[in-house]
């Protein structure tokens, strides 16, 4: 019981969403698809593999023993993880191959839909610096909508497609190297759905679609979820295949004792486990005397601990070996077993050239064109699964799709690709965000953000984005992005904004006043981004800045107003894998703003800004090196020329944005180490680290003296939470200024302007 009590709140919460659907399913009789019963070999043994998430990896250990003991497996049925292991075994992988495949999978990455950040378009990388949560709240036809699962399963579906490609011509699951059945459940009707034919990868994906965790899978008119809700150990399905002798493997979780029911999430999980256990026991009660039931003692291995693959396989082996007296009754001679397995190996797979490409139309013409553009380069070339997945991932990174799948099809004796994009059910969606900084000394900054975006605002893929901010910055920004060209590499982006910034005025690091800067910029930018890695842009800009003192000595700051007009040239290179806790990649930006007294404006000057951040990792240790430079190229100062330093990792020890000048320089080195279990899928990443920083600000270029650089540093602990990164740190610099920091926001932040 001690091991069972270690089930965590997060592990228990993985399946809580099953409760609602289970209530209906328990009241509705299950109905299996009517596949004609097979006529197997009289020595045939059917293997039934139950669901259980990561616990189901123990199935591989059982299969290893069955192979070693020459047990003639000639039919497989599976649910959830049992469908994954069983389905792949049915395609011709042996147990050793399955162990290698499962051990090599990046399971944490499987539960993230987007392609790696370096492969995302630059427009989506910009979202990282608006500190918005990933949760989208959709709007369509006067109704709000929410994602129906934490994970849409994009990467998982691509993986299943890759692993089952050798069976692309097999529509009937009885025609697989080993006949197979997968069990799913219709979330609308509550009825059991048994896959005996069709798309094997899709059948497996539907069988393990845990409600709440994974989005349901639509197959025809049915909306399908995890088969464990209908038949977690599909004994009846094996019996319907005409198999009379079965090896049944149950890897379901055990019920906790009263002392283990410590919080509501655990209690909810206990309820689900109890309901599933009751159905499983009813199925197992129908087993005949000659059937073999194997129940691996998986202890505290939970459904989400895919990092314990080797341990789970070993447990499965031991459980099967404990049943050897019963299993050996089914063994056949070495010669007969070799002949059987000779016909069960994975078949050669070579579709040759991709002769054609069919893209299923999406909701909008621009989305369909985008997918076609991303994949059209595959036609006329040998099929290459890596290139296909890259093309599909590039299209998916656009952000408009719930999922983009593909499959091989045959037409007139030639192989081609059918690409199936599924757009999100809404064209308008909102996101919220939070940024917070507190120095525990009376100074805090917060920024609440709400963004509303209209995708496909016109027939050529225009996007209208509106951002509302409250807190340190209060304002509204509206911009319209219009891509051009076949690949959408060119764009025009007009925007307008009104915002007010609350800014400190400090002398020698001590705040003496606070002023409010109200800005009304207007610009139109034309840019070019042919690659996800870089972008250049040219913008005509104009607007008005007005500042007034809020608190403090009137002699320190009088206020004033400035109007401006000019041009802005910018370039960005970005291959960082994350802005929260970067581990690899480079981000470099350069910007030149040239202001001229056009149309009655008052400013004449130029401002140059540059930044560079480079990340490197080795094992658990991560190094981030960065620098920032800013300069008003003329001697006169103005609001557009101001650059701010101060705050966590931005010259630590000083308060947030407490240093301001027309010239600025900063260099930093940040070293951090991930601690705890780095392979657990649902664990909250935790880091400890420190920084060394040097920088300062100056009013005039003649004042710039690198001998006056202030050296500081920090120590911190960081957590990468579902709501964003949180840091608790202490900073100090050579001036004697020090500060504690509570920061909610990314390790890498967009340069304040």
């Amino acid at each position: 019981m001690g091991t069972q009590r270690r089930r965590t709140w997060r592990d228990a919460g993985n399946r809580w969403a099953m409760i609602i659907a289970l209530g209906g399913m328990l009241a509705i009789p299950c109905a299996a698809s009517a596949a004609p019963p097979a006529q197997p070999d009289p020595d045939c043994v059917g293997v039934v593999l139950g669901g259980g998430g990561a616990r189901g990896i123990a199935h591989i250990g059982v299969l290893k023993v069955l192979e070693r003991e020459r047990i003639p497996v000639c039919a497989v049925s599976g649910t959830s993880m049992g469908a994954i292991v069983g389905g792949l075994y049915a395609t011709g992988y042996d147990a050793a191959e399955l162990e290698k495949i499962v051990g090599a999978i990046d399971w944490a990455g499987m539960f993230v839909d987007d392609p790696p950040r370096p492969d995302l378009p630059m427009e989506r990388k910009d979202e990282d610096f608006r500190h918005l949560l990933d949760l989208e709240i959709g709007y369509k036809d006067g109704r709000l909508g929410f994602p129906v699962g934490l994970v849409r399963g994009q990467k998982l579906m691509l993986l299943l497609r890759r692993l089952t490609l050798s069976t692309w011509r097999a529509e009937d699951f009885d025609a697989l190297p080993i006949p197979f059945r997968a069990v799913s459940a219709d979330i609308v009707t509550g009825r059991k759905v048994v896959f005996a034919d069709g798309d094997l990868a899709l059948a497996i994906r539907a069988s393990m679609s845990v409600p709440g965790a994974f989005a349901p899978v639509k197959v025809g008119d049915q909306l399908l979820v995890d088969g464990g809700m209908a038949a977690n150990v599909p004994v009846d399905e094996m019996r319907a295949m005409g198999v009379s002798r079965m090896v049944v493997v149950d890897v379901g979780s055990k019920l906790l004792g009263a002392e283990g029911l410590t919080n509501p999430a655990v209690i909810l999980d206990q309820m689900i486990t109890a309901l599933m256990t009751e159905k499983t026991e009813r199925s197992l009660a129908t087993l005949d005397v000659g059937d073999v039931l194997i129940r691996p003692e998986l202890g505290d291995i939970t459904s989400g601990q895919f990092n314990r693959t080797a341990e789970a396989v070993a447990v499965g082996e031991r459980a099967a070996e404990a049943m050897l007296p019963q299993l050996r009754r089914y063994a056949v001679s070495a010669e007969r077993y070799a002949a059987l397995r000779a016909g069960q190996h994975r078949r050669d797979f070579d579709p040759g050239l991709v002769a054609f490409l069919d893209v299923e139309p999406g909701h909008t013409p621009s989305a369909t064109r985008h997918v076609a553009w991303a994949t059209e380069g595959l036609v006329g070339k040998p099929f290459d699964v890596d290139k296909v997945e890259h093309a599909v991932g590039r299209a998916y990174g656009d952000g408009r799709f719930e999922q983009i799948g593909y499959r091989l099809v045959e037409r007139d004796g030639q192989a081609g690709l059918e690409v199936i994009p599924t757009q999100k059910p809404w064209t308008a969606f909102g996101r919220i965000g939070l940024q917070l900084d507190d120095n525990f000394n009376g100074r805090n900054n917060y920024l609440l953000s709400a963004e509303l975006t209209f995708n496909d605002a016109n027939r050529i893929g225009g996007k209208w984005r509106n951002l509302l901010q409250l807190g340190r910055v209060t304002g509204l920004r509206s911009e319209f992005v219009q891509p051009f060209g076949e690949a959408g590499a060119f764009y025009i982006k007009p925007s307008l904004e009104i915002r007010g910034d609350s800014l400190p005025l400090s002398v020698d690091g001590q705040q003496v006043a606070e002023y409010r800067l109200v800005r009304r910029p207007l610009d139109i930018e034309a840019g070019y981004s042919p690659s996800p890695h870089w972008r250049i842009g040219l913008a005509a800009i104009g607007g008005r800045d007005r500042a007034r003192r809020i608190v403090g000595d009137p002699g320190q700051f009088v206020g004033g107003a400035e109007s401006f007009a000019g041009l802005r040239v910018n370039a960005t290179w970005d291959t960082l894998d994350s802005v929260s806790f970067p581990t690899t990649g480079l981000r470099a930006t350069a910007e030149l703003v040239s202001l001229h007294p056009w149309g009655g404006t008052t400013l004449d000057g130029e401002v140059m800004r540059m930044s560079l951040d480079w990340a490197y990792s080795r094992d658990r240790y991560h190094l981030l090196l960065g620098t920032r430079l800013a300069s008003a190229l003329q001697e006169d100062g103005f609001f557009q020329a101001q650059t701010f330093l101060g705050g966590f990792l931005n010259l630590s020890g000083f308060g947030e944005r407490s240093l301001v000048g027309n010239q600025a320089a900063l260099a930093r080195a940040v070293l951090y180490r991930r601690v705890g279990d780095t392979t657990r899928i649902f664990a909250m990443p935790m880091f400890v680290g420190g920084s060394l920083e040097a920088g300062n600000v100056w009013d005039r270029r003649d004042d710039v003296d690198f001998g006056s650089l202030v050296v500081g540093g920090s120590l911190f602990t960081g957590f990468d939470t579902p709501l964003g990164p949180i840091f608790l740190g202490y900073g100090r610099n050579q001036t004697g200024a020090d500060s504690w920091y509570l920061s909610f926001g990314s390790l890498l932040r967009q340069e304040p302007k």
Side-chain angles (χ1 to χ4, degrees):
M1 199 60 74
T3 58
Q4 294 177 11
R5 282 197 297 270
R6 290 200 287 269
R7 189 182 299 173
T8 67
W9 180 292
R10 182 175 292 271
D11 292 327
N14 289 340
R15 297 183 292 165
W16 70 267
M18 289 186 183
I19 291 176
I20 297 174
L22 273 172
M25 291 186 181
L26 292 175
I28 301 173
C30 296
S33 63
Q39 300 296 325
D41 188 300
D43 292 330
C44 171
V45 175
V47 175
V48 181
L49 304 179
R55 295 167 64 90
I57 296 173
H59 293 318
I60 298 174
V62 174
L63 292 173
K64 290 175 70 174
V65 174
L66 297 183
E67 290 180 357
R68 188 175 69 229
E69 297 298 322
R70 304 192 306 275
I71 308 301
V73 177
C74 53
V76 182
S77 66
T79 295
S80 197
M81 191 65 188
I84 296 179
V85 174
L88 295 182
Y89 197 70
T91 67
Y93 295 98
D94 61 32
E97 290 174 317
L98 290 178
E99 187 175 13
K100 291 180 181 179
I101 290 171
V102 173
I105 293 173
D106 176 15
W107 288 101
M110 278 300 108
F111 293 92
V112 178
D113 290 309
D114 277 331
R117 186 178 181 276
D119 295 333
L120 292 176
M122 291 294 298
E123 185 184 353
R124 291 202 61 195
K125 292 177 182 177
D126 293 341
E127 297 175 1
D128 294 335
F129 299 99
R130 298 199 291 272
H131 307 289
L132 299 170
L133 305 181
D134 290 334
L135 176 65
E136 292 184 1
I137 304 171
Y139 179 83
K140 184 178 182 180
D141 300 330
R143 303 176 66 178
L144 296 178
F146 296 87
V148 292
L150 297 177
V151 181
R152 297 186 179 94
Q154 172 68 14
K155 289 184 181 178
L156 182 60
M157 188 62 198
L158 290 179
L159 175 64
L160 294 174
R161 181 68 66 196
R162 170 189 282 259
L163 294 175
T164 59
L165 277 172
S166 63
T167 65
W168 70 284
R169 285 192 173 96
E171 291 288 331
D172 187 345
F173 293 176
D174 284 337
L176 296 172
I178 302 176
F180 174 67
R181 299 291 185 269
V183 177
S184 186
D186 190 329
I187 194 68
V188 177
T189 66
R191 296 185 181 276
K192 177 170 61 177
V193 177
V194 180
F195 285 93
D197 53 33
D199 187 331
L200 178 60
L202 191 64
I204 296 173
R205 169 68 180 86
S207 182
M208 51 73 62
S209 187
V210 179
F214 287 95
V217 176
K218 188 172 184 180
V219 180
D221 296 329
Q222 297 175 311
L223 203 60
L224 304 181
V225 297
D226 194 294
M229 302 177 63
N232 201 47
V233 184
V235 171
D236 291 343
E237 288 58 53
M238 180 58 65
R239 192 171 286 119
M241 296 174 73
V243 178
S244 59
R245 303 192 296 180
M246 289 181 276
V247 175
V248 181
V249 189
D250 177 21
V251 294
S253 300
K254 294 183 179 180
L255 293 170
L256 298 174
E259 68 278 12
L261 304 175
T262 57
N263 59 66
V266 172
I267 292 173
L268 289 172
D269 185 65
Q270 179 89 337
M271 179 179 174
I272 295 171
T273 302
L275 294 171
M276 295 179 67
T277 299
E278 191 273 337
K279 290 188 127 189
T280 296
E281 292 300 330
R282 281 191 293 170
S283 292
L284 298 180
T286 68
L287 297 179
D288 295 329
V289 176
D291 299 325
V292 180
L293 174 61
I294 299 175
R295 280 179 151 162
E297 291 293 333
L298 290 157
D300 63 344
I301 299 178
T302 68
S303 60
Q305 291 180 307
F306 289 91
N307 57 302
R308 300 174 72 174
T309 292
E311 186 178 351
V313 172
V315 171
E317 285 190 74
R318 290 196 297 269
E321 288 168 348
M323 303 299 292
L324 282 179
Q326 293 93 324
L327 290 173
R328 283 171 174 167
R329 294 177 302 176
Y330 299 152
V332 297
S333 67
E335 294 77 10
R336 185 166 183 185
Y337 187 76
L340 173 71
R341 293 296 290 161
Q344 293 181 338
H345 288 300
R346 194 158 52 98
R347 295 159 187 170
D348 293 336
F349 167 68
D350 184 12
L353 295 177
V354 178
F356 59 91
L357 173 71
D358 291 336
V359 178
E360 191 172 291
H363 298 320
T364 59
S366 65
T368 304
R369 288 194 300 269
H370 173 75
V371 176
W373 163 78
T375 55
E376 63 184 6
L378 303 170
V379 180
K381 299 177 181 177
F383 177 83
D384 186 320
V385 65
D386 292 326
K387 292 181 179 179
V388 173
E389 290 182 358
H390 178 76
V392 169
R394 185 175 184 183
Y396 184 81
D398 176 76
R400 285 180 285 183
F401 304 94
E402 282 194 339
Q403 189 169 310
I404 301 178
Y406 77 93
R407 62 185 178 188
L408 279 163
V409 294
E410 193 170 27
R411 183 190 302 163
D412 300 327
Q414 294 181 310
L417 282 175
E418 184 178 63
V419 181
I420 308 103
T422 303
Q423 284 186 247
K424 295 175 181 176
W426 47 74
T427 56
F429 64 91
R431 295 169 65 185
I432 58 176
L434 171 66
Q435 185 182 350
L436 172 68
D437 294 283
D438 195 324
N439 65 359
F440 299 97
N441 195 30
R443 180 74 182 174
N444 61 74
N445 290 290
Y446 73 91
L447 184 62
L448 293 173
S449 303
E451 186 177 87
L452 178 63
T453 302
F454 296 85
N455 278 328
D456 295 305
N458 55 30
R459 291 186 59 84
I460 54 176
K463 180 179 294 185
W464 183 26
R465 180 183 297 112
N466 302 274
L467 179 65
L468 174 67
Q469 295 180 308
L470 299 172
R472 176 180 60 79
V473 176
T474 301
L476 176 66
R477 176 180 176 85
S478 183
E479 64 181 36
F480 191 91
V481 182
Q482 182 60 67
F484 291 100
E486 186 177 1
F490 297 92
Y491 68 89
I492 293 179
K493 182 172 69 177
S495 65
L496 56 89
E497 182 178 11
I498 178 170
R499 77 174 192 261
D501 293 13
S502 295
L503 301 172
L505 181 64
S506 300
V507 177
D508 297 328
Q510 299 295 317
Q511 185 177 345
V512 297
E514 183 174 338
Y515 65 99
R516 189 74 171 173
L517 178 60
V518 178
R519 292 180 160 172
R520 295 181 175 86
L522 171 68
D523 63 68
I524 179 169
E525 178 176 297
Y528 178 58
S529 182
S531 160
H533 298 159
W534 63 274
R535 172 182 63 200
I536 57 174
L538 173 65
I541 63 175
R544 182 176 178 85
D545 295 333
R546 178 181 294 273
R548 61 180 179 86
R549 180 182 55 85
I550 301 176
V551 296
D553 184 359
Q556 296 288 344
F557 182 78
V558 179
E562 300 170 349
S563 57
F564 62 92
L567 299 173
R568 180 184 67 236
V569 181
N570 61 79
T572 301
W573 175 275
D574 191 344
T575 59
L576 285 178
D577 64 338
S578 168
V579 299
S580 299
F581 294 94
T583 62
T584 186
L586 172 72
R587 175 177 166 86
T589 67
E591 178 183 84
L592 176 64
V593 178
S594 182
L595 304 177
H596 304 275
W598 297 337
T601 59
T602 59
L603 292 183
D604 188 4
E606 294 179 329
V607 183
M608 180 187 67
R609 295 185 177 91
M610 294 185 295
S611 70
L612 179 68
D613 292 281
W614 175 73
Y616 172 79
S617 295
R618 186 162 185 173
D619 298 325
R620 294 186 176 211
Y621 292 90
H622 313 297
L623 177 65
L624 177 66
L625 301 178
T627 185
R628 287 179 55 201
L629 298 172
S631 175
L633 302 182
Q634 281 73 33
E635 297 295 336
D636 295 334
F638 45 92
F639 293 129
Q640 289 288 315
Q642 292 180 341
T643 298
F644 299 89
L645 294 181
F648 179 59
L649 303 182
N650 201 40
L651 206 53
S652 297
F654 293 122
E656 185 77 15
R657 307 184 81 191
S658 61
L659 304 180
V660 59
N662 300 315
Q663 318 290 328
L666 174 71
R668 66 182 183 184
V670 187
L671 180 67
Y672 44 103
R673 181 182 188 272
R674 181 166 177 183
V675 297
D677 189 347
T678 62
T679 59
R680 189 180 178 117
I681 292 178
F682 300 110
M684 183 183 299
M686 177 180 176
F687 300 83
V688 295
S691 69
L692 182 64
E693 307 149 44
N696 210 339
V697 297
W698 304 270
D699 287 330
R700 300 171 61 87
R701 290 171 59 190
D702 292 343
D703 298 333
V704 177
D705 179 8
F706 288 99
S708 63
L709 291 176
V710 177
V711 178
S714 71
L715 297 173
F716 64 86
T717 298
F719 299 87
D720 198 3
T721 77
L723 299 178
I726 297 177
F727 301 90
L728 177 63
Y730 172 77
R732 187 178 181 88
N733 59 56
Q734 69 182 67
T735 69
D738 67 340
S739 184
W740 286 91
Y741 300 102
L742 175 64
S743 181
F744 187 93
S746 299
L747 193 65
L748 198 67
R749 303 189 181 188
Q750 194 173 33
E751 300 80 9
K753 301 175 182 179

